[in-house]
Every structure is written in C-alpha cells, then in structure tokens.
Amino acid sequence: MTICALATTPGGALGIIRISGPQSLEILSRIFTKDLTQAQPNTVHYGHIVESVEISSPQVIDEVLVSVFRAPHSYTGEDSAEISCHGSRYILNKVLELLIQNGCRMANPGEFTQRAYLNGKMDLTQAEAVADLIASTNKATHQMALSQLRGHFSSKLAQLREQLLKLTSLLELELDFSDHEDLEFADRSELMNLAKEIDNRVTHLAKSFEAGQALKQGIPVAIVGKTNVGKSTLLNALLKDDRAIVSDIHGTTRDTIEDTIDIQGVTFRFIDTAGIRQTQDTVEQIGIERTFAAIDKAKIVLWIIDEEPSNEEINNISQRTENKKLIIVKNKSDKADNNSYNLLNHPFVAISAKFGTGIDDLERAIYEAADIPALSDNDIIVTNARHYDALTRSHDCIQRVIDGLQIQLSGDLLSEDLRQALDTLSEITGGQITPHEVLGNIFKNFCVGK
C-alpha cells in the first residue's frame, strides 16, 4: 500500500508531503503536470499540482518541486517522493486529499521509519534514534542520537554478537561430537577470558544508561538553604528571567519551582525549593518536605548560604547530600566577606545573585559536578530503557556462563545461556540468531572433515 503524510508543520513558508510505496510515482503523476513514472532516481522536477491531469483545464492547486527516489535507494527502501509546496494549510490539506483520492492512504505515526526498518534500511536502534534526533533539545542529546543513527551502537553490538557467536559455535561443535567424551574444541580458559571480556563490555554499556537518561531528561539540580538566603533570586539569575517570586518575607516559596537551562550544551533541570527552617505553618511544612524529596532526586545540590551556618545546619545538609554532588554557594558577596568557612570540603563559589556576579563561575562548577562524559560522534551512551533492559538480561546470561565455566558445567548448559545472551542482544537491533547462522559460523572457522 502506498502511504502519504505531511512531514512539516503547516502554516510556514514551505511544506513537504512525503509519499512511499509501490505506486508512489504512478499516483503522483495523476495530479502532477509531468509524468513521473519513468523519472530517474534522485531527481527534482518542477511543475504544478492539479486536481487531475485528465481534465482539459484542471484547477491548479500549487506550484511545486517534486523529488523522486527509487527503491531501494530511498529512506524507506521503496519508491518514494517528496512534494515541496507552499505551507498553507489549505494547500497541504488539498494535496493530501488528492493523493488519498487517487490511491494513497494516510501514514500511521512512524510508518515511514517502520518501513525503513522492515526493508532493511536501518535496525531498531537506528529507527529509535530517528525519534531521539527529532526530539533532541541540546548539543549532547543531538550528538547521542546522531551517533546511534549512524550505527555506532549497532556496530558495537555486532562486535559483541560476533564474539558470543564464536563461543556458541565452539560449544555446539562439541555437542555434534558428543560421542567422543574427551573431545573439546573449546579451550575452557580461553572461553573464560572471552566471556569476561564480553561481560565487561556489556556492563560498560549498561552503566552508561544513567548518564544517558540524565542527559536526555536534564540533570536535576536542587537549590536548597534557609529562608531568605537568595534561592529564588539565584534561580531567576540562572534563568535570566523572573521565574520565581522574590520577597523579604520568610517562607515565600512554599513549593518546588522547576525550569531548565543549557550549560555548555547540556540541559540542567533546576529546582527551587522551600527554605529549610522550623515552622508551625502546615503548608510551609509540606513545602519543606518537598525540599527534602527534591534533594533525594537531585544529582547536584546547590546549598545557598549568606553567613556561616550552624553546626546543626551543616550536619543536616551533610546527611541529606551524602551521595550527591554538593556545591556550597556563598550568596550576597556584595554585602559580606567571601570566607569559604571550610565547609565539608566541597566546591565553594561566592556570588551575588542580585547583581549577577559569580554566576559564570557557578555554571562552570555545576557543569564540572555533573561529570559529563566527553561526547564525540563515536561515543556510545545508552539512553533507551529497552536497550538497558536487554543489556542487563544479557549480562545475567553471560554471568551464568562465567559461573558455569568455574564449576565445569557441561557444554550443553553453557551453550543454552550463551544462546539466551545472543537473543537478548539481538532484541536491541531487531535481529535474530538462527541455527543456520551458527552452523555457517562453524564451517567458516573449522574444517570438520579433517
């Protein structure tokens, strides 16, 4: 079936309508003033969209450019075309209406990319990267999606898969000669080393998921401290906007306020919290409880002070941020000294949130505390929960192989765990390991007839 869909937001200067399927060029030729059925691939054609070329004086809908792509060298792997026309809602809807009248149907969400996957133009990780690339909001998420779309993650998985396949082939070859009890094609110490190497790589990929999720969703940063130390003023200074209410009245902020900014291409999600103090106000107490909840969820905590804190406050913050990256921010530096007080041996930054001094230094400290991995086009960071789940299950299978080798488990049981590891890794890309593939690998690497 041939499908069509709008590929751009209506209402702009230009709009693009995509068509894909076996009858793409035939259907388009019924409403385009040139016959495209014999058009060469990767060519652009100027003409008009009309109600029907079979009418002697058809109504012209728009002046357009049509890009023609031939299977298999297209995004979907099918014959396809893109109509570039004006972005008027009326024009776009009219063109879609004419395409449907002549045999197209509206595409389902993601169907173009789904067809690309089904036609072997990309694997599942690359298909998912298309959505991530569209949704990318900063340099880091753009680089991660682009790396995955280019197949770097798939390539790494293919290497792991090849190594696992080698292990499986060695063990299954032994099973084919099970009548020779003393015959071992697979050296157990070599298998152990290879299994551990594979497990280390799988574990490394799985561990990158936490960083990937943080980069994708925004690294949470909690702004905490006593009332009236300038937490809301700092949030406004970071955002360069009056997002939070600022007042000299204690307890003004009674709930968490969230917003995001980009620092060096990475999104940070700042959470302004209620001031921590003893209070009888029920609503303010709820706000303080939410402050503690925000600390628990944050990766980085900015502890705002404007004077030397009490031992009680130091102990309280120390306990609450035991496993967090803590940055001590001395606010109101325009009014007081900049003594660091030697608090907890954490990074210390002096600022004036009111006048914006020291904000650049604070942003640098926040970025350093985030411990962002250096990203390049070839870096692989797992951002998809489905991929993480498959990697952890694969790790469990390989760990059973390692344990089995240590207790000299039989080859058939080891082989079963290896096959499960192969299957879980294959889930990520959408591939499947077949008995024929294992058999082919055996004959490729061994001369059984000798």
Side-chain angles (χ1 to χ4, degrees), residues 140 143-144 211 215 367 371-381:
Q143 283 184 313
M144 290 189 296
L215 290 171
Y367 185 85
D371 197 21
I372 306 296
L375 294 176
S376 69
D377 290 343
N378 296 321
D379 284 326
I380 302 170
I381 295 180

Side-chain angles (χ1 to χ4, degrees), residues 124-176:
L124 279 182
T125 64
Q126 291 171 301
E128 289 164 322
V130 172
D132 287 342
L133 190 62
I134 293 170
S136 62
T137 56
N138 55 49
K139 182 179 179 181
T141 52
H142 173 263
Q143 283 184 313
M144 290 189 296
L146 202 58
S147 173
Q148 189 167 311
L149 184 60
R150 288 173 174 169
H152 297 148
F153 186 32
S154 302
S155 177
K156 177 63 69 176
L157 291 175
Q159 293 173 15
L160 293 173
R161 180 179 178 275
E162 187 66 27
Q163 289 179 302
L164 282 171
L165 192 58
K166 180 182 177 182
L167 279 175
T168 305
S169 301
L170 287 168
L171 290 171
E172 295 205 3
L173 187 62
E174 288 182 5
L175 298 179
D176 287 342

Side-chain angles (χ1 to χ4, degrees), residues 190-411:
E190 182 183 346
L191 288 182
M192 176 66 84
N193 292 335
L194 188 54
K196 287 182 176 179
E197 179 187 349
I198 295 169
D199 189 50
N200 287 336
R201 294 186 180 185
V202 169
T203 302
H204 177 74
L205 287 172
K207 283 183 177 179
S208 73
F209 177 68
E210 182 180 353
Q213 283 294 96
L215 290 171
K216 194 172 181 179
Q217 298 177 4
I219 298 171
V221 182
I223 304 174
V224 304
K226 295 190 302 183
T227 58
N228 269 20
V229 292
K231 298 185 299 299
S232 296
T233 305
L234 174 58
L235 177 65
N236 291 340
L238 288 165
L239 298 175
K240 298 178 176 60
D241 187 21
D242 291 336
R243 177 70 173 82
I245 298 173
V246 176
S247 170
D248 292 334
I249 302 172
H250 289 273
T252 301
T253 302
R254 298 190 171 205
D255 200 353
T256 56
I257 300 172
E258 295 191 28
D259 215 326
T260 61
I261 66 168
D262 280 2
I263 300 176
Q264 298 185 39
V266 176
T267 299
F268 289 83
R269 183 158 44 86
F270 287 90
I271 310 163
D272 181 23
T273 64
I276 302 172
R277 66 167 182 162
Q278 296 293 328
T279 179
Q280 300 301 316
D281 188 306
T282 304
V283 176
E284 191 177 351
Q285 284 178 342
I286 295 172
I288 294 171
E289 290 174 4
R290 293 185 179 181
T291 295
F292 295 143
I295 293 175
D296 292 338
K297 293 178 181 178
K299 179 176 181 178
I300 301 170
V301 177
L302 304 183
W303 178 24
I304 316 301
I305 60 174
D306 59 359
E307 61 184 6
E308 186 168 6
S310 65
N311 289 333
E312 180 183 359
E313 186 179 359
I314 293 173
N315 291 334
N316 192 14
I317 291 293
S318 179
Q319 291 173 6
R320 290 280 179 180
T321 61
E322 188 174 357
N323 298 315
K324 310 293 180 182
K325 295 292 183 70
L326 178 65
I327 300 174
I328 302 168
V329 182
K330 173 66 166 55
N331 192 21
K332 304 179 184 179
S333 60
D334 54 304
K335 291 185 177 180
D337 65 82
N338 295 330
N339 187 354
S340 66
Y341 307 127
N342 281 329
L343 297 175
L344 307 176
N345 295 318
H346 288 284
F348 179 93
V349 182
I351 68 164
S352 171
K354 182 177 180 179
F355 296 102
T357 56
I359 298 299
D360 290 343
D361 293 335
L362 178 58
E363 288 184 353
R364 280 192 290 272
I366 292 169
Y367 185 85
E368 290 173 4
D371 197 21
I372 306 296
L375 294 176
S376 69
D377 290 343
N378 296 321
D379 284 326
I380 302 170
I381 295 180
V382 176
T383 62
N384 188 300
R386 186 181 70 82
H387 302 168
Y388 173 72
D389 175 64
L391 286 168
T392 53
R393 285 187 286 119
S394 184
H395 161 72
D396 291 340
C397 295
I398 299 169
Q399 192 60 52
R400 288 199 297 271
V401 172
I402 293 172
D403 294 341
L405 286 168
Q406 289 175 337
I407 62 174
Q408 299 181 337
L409 208 61
S410 63

Side-chain angles (χ1 to χ4, degrees), residues 53-161:
V53 295
E54 297 178 359
I55 302 174
S56 58
S57 298
Q59 179 184 350
V60 175
I61 304 303
D62 196 18
E63 184 179 27
V64 303
L65 291 174
V66 175
S67 302
V68 172
F69 307 94
R70 294 281 189 177
H73 305 294
S74 69
Y75 178 75
T76 60
E78 304 172 324
D79 283 351
S80 61
E82 292 183 357
I83 305 170
S84 180
C85 57
H86 292 97
S88 155
R89 290 179 182 273
Y90 170 77
I91 292 173
L92 295 169
N93 289 334
K94 188 63 179 178
V95 174
L96 287 171
E97 179 185 328
L98 291 172
L99 289 170
I100 292 169
Q101 287 175 358
N102 283 276
C104 283
R105 71 162 172 83
M106 286 295 293
N108 296 319
E111 189 169 0
F112 285 91
T113 303
Q114 182 184 39
R115 290 190 177 200
Y117 163 67
L118 294 173
N119 291 325
K121 300 297 292 184
M122 59 179 69
D123 61 32
L124 279 182
T125 64
Q126 291 171 301
E128 289 164 322
V130 172
D132 287 342
L133 190 62
I134 293 170
S136 62
T137 56
N138 55 49
K139 182 179 179 181
T141 52
H142 173 263
Q143 283 184 313
M144 290 189 296
L146 202 58
S147 173
Q148 189 167 311
L149 184 60
R150 288 173 174 169
H152 297 148
F153 186 32
S154 302
S155 177
K156 177 63 69 176
L157 291 175
Q159 293 173 15
L160 293 173
R161 180 179 178 275

